[in-house]
Amino acid sequence: MENGVLKEGFLVKRGHIVHNWKARWFILRQNTLVYYKLEGGRRVTPPKGRILLDGCTITCPCLEYENRPLLIKLKTQTSTEYFLEACSREERDAWAFEITGAIHAGQPGKVQQLHSLRNSFKLPPHISLHRIVDKMHDSSTGIRSSPNMEQGSTYKKTFLGSSLVDWLISNSFTASRLEAVTLASMLMEENFLRPVGVRSMGAIRSGDLAEQFLDDSTALYTFAESYKKKINPKEEISLSTVELSGTVVKQGYLAKQGHKRKNWKVRRFVLRKDPAFLHYYDPSKEENRPVGGFSLRGSLVSALEDNGVPTGVKGNVQGNLFKVITKDDTHYYIQASSKAERAEWIEAIKKLT
């Protein structure tokens, strides 16, 4: 913890007046969460805004935006709501953990409870959430959806929270009901399932880092079909589906210099292997499609000099820069948020070139 900083990095924030989404640099301290605008790879001072954490409530996961499943919602004492999006579930949970710790800093029992949550169930690497959902949909061995009633209302194609927990255990995805609840929460966080009715929706709204899924015979859930939505043919871009079929190795927010205007913008980078590709996404857009990408086969990656502005870099942008040169000699200039992060990206990319 340097200068009282608990955590810092990029998050994508929803605007207050116009509900657009923009990447901001956030710095978390014991009582405040401050955010900055970025121009030319540098933080613009003074801060763009400040969130006072005293009396704040946090909701994580926040499922209010169907196309943004990696959200955290903060509600201040004055009922101002902030929506913040991370680049991955792990990064979102790390932010939520640190923010919750800052909010409850004066309550040792609450902080201890958070530390125990950190050691919760982890999905085995050979099992993907997509595989579990596919098996749940299986007509013979999957989970059975049917009409269910709650408080006088009938909900079609739903299943009970306790039934899903039973199913996960019987199919050997988990060894205990506690693990099954955690796995079901992960499925809900990643937008594969959604709550239906008063009981399960109430658990979501209760917020904080407690489990959001209810192992209960009165809580109803259904499949969230959004992950199966097809892209409109008019919106399709020239990307082979093979490019995006690889296993995700690393992802995170990085700043990138544009090819034409040479301006710097924050992008969510996703590194995949088998096949090896590096794609980047515009975090301000709702659609989860890359705005660019390239094959890493035959590429070169290297760190750039930290003293002064390196050749090829426009503007007074310096520090934590690296360059990727593709097989067809296209140069990509990218900036990480720290030397450590730059080293991690370079090492991960080198393994795939």
Side-chain angles (χ1 to χ4, degrees), residues 197-214:
V198 178
R199 185 89 170 87
S200 56
M201 289 297 291
I204 292 293
R205 294 194 186 101
S206 68
D208 231 336
L209 280 178
E211 296 295 356
Q212 303 285 304
F213 187 89
L214 295 177

Side-chain angles (χ1 to χ4, degrees), residues 50-123:
R50 186 183 306 268
I51 304 170
L52 297 176
L53 296 177
D54 186 34
C56 243
T57 57
I58 180 169
T59 303
C60 179
C62 170
L63 304 178
E64 293 188 28
Y65 284 85
E66 187 179 5
N67 293 327
R68 294 184 182 270
L70 300 173
L71 284 180
I72 297 168
K73 181 169 87 170
L74 295 176
K75 190 172 184 179
T76 66
Q77 272 188 325
T78 57
S79 294
T80 304
E81 292 182 339
Y82 293 88
F83 293 87
L84 312 175
E85 184 181 38
C87 61
S88 66
R89 188 167 52 81
E90 293 77 15
E91 187 65 10
R92 181 203 59 196
D93 291 350
W95 271 104
F97 177 81
E98 294 293 351
I99 293 170
T100 308
I103 292 170
H104 299 293
Q107 304 171 31
K110 188 76 177 179
V111 175
Q112 189 176 1
Q113 181 191 350
L114 287 170
H115 279 285
S116 67
L117 274 173
R118 280 222 114 161
N119 301 318
S120 61
F121 168 73
K122 295 285 188 295
L123 190 66

